[in-house]
Amino acid sequence: DLCHDANYYSDFLSIYNENKYNIPVFHCIGNHELEGSTPLAQVRQKYGMPANYYYEDFNGYRLIVLDTNYYINEYGKTVHMPPGHSTPTGTYHLGEKQLAWLEETIRASENPCLIFSHASLELPQGCRDALAVRQMIRTINEEHPGRVLMCLNGHYHRNNIAAHDGGGVFGGNGV
């Protein structure tokens, strides 16, 4: 939820993304980015994101950024929330394609992983695929201890910390 409409915050995003301290910035799309009229591809371009969900190997860690702004439509198909709308709370999904990508991305990493999402992978009103993700993490961490260290999320405008099977889940006000 960095911006409600990326087109209105172009100057801010330019300074933020290309800061004078060369601090790397890895964005995660929240529900408010989609409330404006900016098309998703343009949001990604303004945020400097290679895709809706992606990973970056950085300083000995694999940073995995998820997109929880998918929902199941009336035809049972997983689709991305279109611009001008906000994903209703309790309907956030990753979808089968992103879940498969996540497992492949974690398993392929030689580094410990940190997973970032907008909607929680822990709270009941968070991502509807949270249980599947936590089971995946549990299984992978049993095979490769410490492969996934923590999941971090934002969205809820309050802090939340929990531990699941040796991995942490941190919901931060500003993640």
Side-chain angles (χ1 to χ4, degrees):
D1 289 345
L2 185 62
C3 297
H4 284 271
D5 192 328
N7 280 328
Y8 295 126
Y9 297 96
S10 293
D11 292 342
F12 168 75
L13 286 170
S14 177
I15 293 168
Y16 190 77
N17 288 334
E18 300 160 21
N19 61 79
K20 66 181 180 179
Y21 304 106
N22 294 317
I23 298 169
V25 176
F26 306 102
H27 290 284
C28 180
I29 297 175
N31 58 306
H32 292 296
E33 278 81 7
L34 303 174
E35 289 177 346
S37 60
T38 309
L40 183 58
Q42 196 172 1
V43 171
R44 284 195 317 261
Q45 184 267 327
K46 296 234 180 229
Y47 280 19
M49 296 172 66
N52 293 7
Y53 49 94
Y54 62 97
Y55 75 88
E56 183 76 32
D57 290 326
F58 180 74
N59 280 354
Y61 294 92
R62 175 158 286 184
L63 309 178
I64 301 172
V65 178
L66 301 177
D67 183 356
T68 56
N69 291 291
Y70 290 86
Y71 70 102
I72 308 297
N73 70 11
E74 63 272 20
Y75 306 108
K77 184 175 179 183
T78 302
V79 295
H80 200 274
M81 186 58 65
H85 297 84
S86 180
T87 310
T89 297
T91 62
Y92 300 102
H93 281 271
L94 298 174
E96 290 180 22
K97 181 179 175 185
Q98 190 173 180
L99 281 170
W101 173 88
L102 175 61
E103 182 169 6
E104 179 182 310
T105 300
I106 294 169
R107 287 189 180 281
S109 180
E110 295 181 13
N111 296 318
C113 300
L114 301 173
I115 300 174
F116 299 85
S117 63
H118 186 65
S120 175
L121 297 175
E122 193 266 334
L123 295 174
Q125 70 273 30
C127 180
R128 305 313 272 173
D129 301 304
L131 192 58
V133 172
R134 291 199 317 265
Q135 178 60 47
M136 174 195 308
I137 291 169
R138 181 181 311 114
T139 299
I140 294 171
N141 276 346
E142 286 171 357
E143 297 167 7
H144 308 280
R147 179 64 54 92
V148 178
L149 299 177
M150 182 177 284
C151 299
L152 299 98
N153 72 272
H155 181 66
Y156 302 96
H157 308 281
R158 64 183 182 278
N159 295 324
N160 178 61
I161 299 174
H164 291 281
D165 301 310
V169 177
F170 176 75
N173 211 4
V175 174

